[in-house]
Amino acid sequence: MGFTEMPTNNFVESCFWNFDALFQPQQHPARDAHDTFFVSEPQVSDIKQVPPDYLQRVKKTHAEGGYGSQGYKVDWKTEEAEKNILRTHTTAVSARMLYKLAQQEKFTPVKYFSIDRVFRNETTDATHLAEFHQIEGVVADYGLTLGNLMGIIQEFFKKLNIKKLRFKPTYNPYTEPSMELFSYHEGLKKWVEIGNSGIFRPEMLLPMGLPEGVSVIAWGLSLERPTMIKYKIDDIRTLIGPKVDLQMVYDNPICRVEKH
Ligand code: PHE
């Protein structure tokens, strides 16, 4: 589908790229230790690597607003942004890539993807893991709509022969509008959430320096949940973790995607 891969080779991320750059307020419950794994060594990242003018614009947008937004009207602290965590989503990488894109002399449309591991401090059960894989997609261009977003997602799942798809309006701090994605699991006999998506907010994109009028549609899918649906697996813990049947690993061919 013409996407290029993003570099996701860092499990440890700063709160800045995982949350703040995405206009996720510092008081947001997802930033709590109940949902996020904090890293104790080193506890903080080198925030000086973030260009100071950009950091200031992010701070201001959160605390005072700007770009047509009221902001959150609460104090924004560097000490919160520099904390190291295990990334909770690969959208942290998308934020880094979009910032980089915004630094180009002239904007060019892009289609990016990544597939890599994310971490959430969750109690595991048949459909939840504390570490899983995300399939992330980002498309940036002038005039993209929600219709484009739904079309690309449908096309992607059609290729996997997953046709029972539903979109449900939801809320994310960094996208508006936002939609959760559901697909029907024949074994569990219910619709399960397989991803989340939306159009990135101006409060995220404009401080980066992307031109007004550029819209960025994006999504993050679970790799394991659609795998459960496709292969009729009832318990996600049989896919990664200590419950994995090693014979399943031995019996399955290694899958390689060649670039050319
Ligand atoms: N980061 C979201 C999640 O982890 C997925 C997402 C990505 C939503 C991009 C919107 C845009 O659930």
Side-chain angles (χ1 to χ4, degrees):
M1 289 172 77
F3 285 73
T4 28
E5 192 168 8
M6 297 186 268
T8 47
N9 53 334
N10 63 300
F11 289 173
V12 176
E13 185 56 276
S14 66
C15 279
F16 181 82
W17 289 110
N18 195 88
F19 296 125
D20 296 288
L22 292 161
F23 195 55
Q24 186 140 325
Q26 294 198 323
Q27 296 73 20
H28 195 282
R31 294 175 71 139
D32 204 272
H34 293 296
D35 290 316
T36 302
F37 290 112
F38 287 87
V39 175
S40 50
E41 247 184 276
Q43 214 162 350
V44 294
S45 70
D46 183 8
I47 201 81
K48 287 187 214 77
Q49 284 178 10
V50 178
D53 58 325
Y54 172 49
L55 191 99
Q56 279 312 311
R57 288 195 297 276
V58 169
K59 180 184 166 103
K60 194 159 183 253
T61 312
H62 279 244
E64 297 165 33
Y67 313 98
S69 169
Q70 300 189 15
Y72 294 118
K73 303 251 170 77
V74 283
D75 228 17
W76 187 91
K77 295 194 181 70
T78 311
E79 301 81 70
E80 202 50 51
E82 66 187 4
K83 284 182 186 163
N84 273 331
I85 56 166
L86 293 179
R87 67 172 173 227
T88 62
H89 52 188
T90 43
T91 317
V93 181
S94 301
R96 284 175 179 272
M97 293 299 282
L98 287 168
Y99 176 75
K100 219 167 154 189
L101 177 70
Q103 306 321 299
Q104 276 181 198
E105 192 104 6
K106 196 178 174 313
F107 171 81
T108 45
V110 295
K111 283 164 109 178
Y112 293 143
F113 84 96
S114 66
I115 307 174
D116 212 338
R117 196 172 283 217
V118 299
F119 306 85
R120 296 196 191 161
N121 199 353
E122 297 215 58
T123 312
T124 59
D125 61 27
T127 52
H128 292 86
L129 291 167
E131 44 187 299
F132 62 99
H133 294 84
Q134 254 181 354
I135 306 170
E136 179 111 356
V138 178
V139 183
D141 203 349
Y142 286 96
L144 293 172
T145 66
L146 207 59
N148 295 112
L149 177 58
M150 294 169 84
I152 294 179
I153 291 172
Q154 249 149 3
E155 183 66 27
F156 174 81
F157 280 111
K158 211 166 83 194
K159 287 176 191 284
L160 297 176
N161 203 28
I162 293 179
K163 293 187 187 121
K164 280 191 180 164
L165 268 191
R166 274 184 184 169
F167 296 91
K168 179 181 161 205
T170 189
Y171 172 78
N172 295 318
Y174 40 93
T175 51
E176 180 62 36
S178 315
M179 298 178 300
E180 279 173 349
L181 270 136
F182 286 78
S183 186
Y184 193 73
H185 191 295
E186 301 289 349
L188 297 175
K189 298 236 170 310
K190 62 174 186 187
W191 289 86
V192 292
E193 195 199 334
I194 54 167
N196 192 338
S197 65
I199 304 184
F200 282 135
R201 296 186 73 106
E203 291 98 326
M204 165 184 168
L205 302 179
L206 296 178
M208 291 177 169
L210 281 167
E212 257 183 75
V214 166
S215 27
V216 184
I217 56 178
W219 56 93
L221 313 171
S222 147
L223 176 71
E224 285 80 8
R225 295 246 185 107
T227 304
M228 291 172 73
I229 291 169
K230 191 168 164 63
Y231 295 104
K232 305 190 166 44
I233 293 165
D234 291 342
D235 192 333
I236 200 165
R237 291 165 293 191
T238 57
L239 286 172
I240 15 174
K243 286 196 177 165
V244 169
D245 172 11
L246 286 179
Q247 200 57 44
M248 184 262 291
V249 180
Y250 299 143
D251 291 346
N252 278 287
I254 290 177
C255 177
R256 287 209 171 85
V257 183
E258 301 292 344
K259 206 165 182 182
H260 301 291

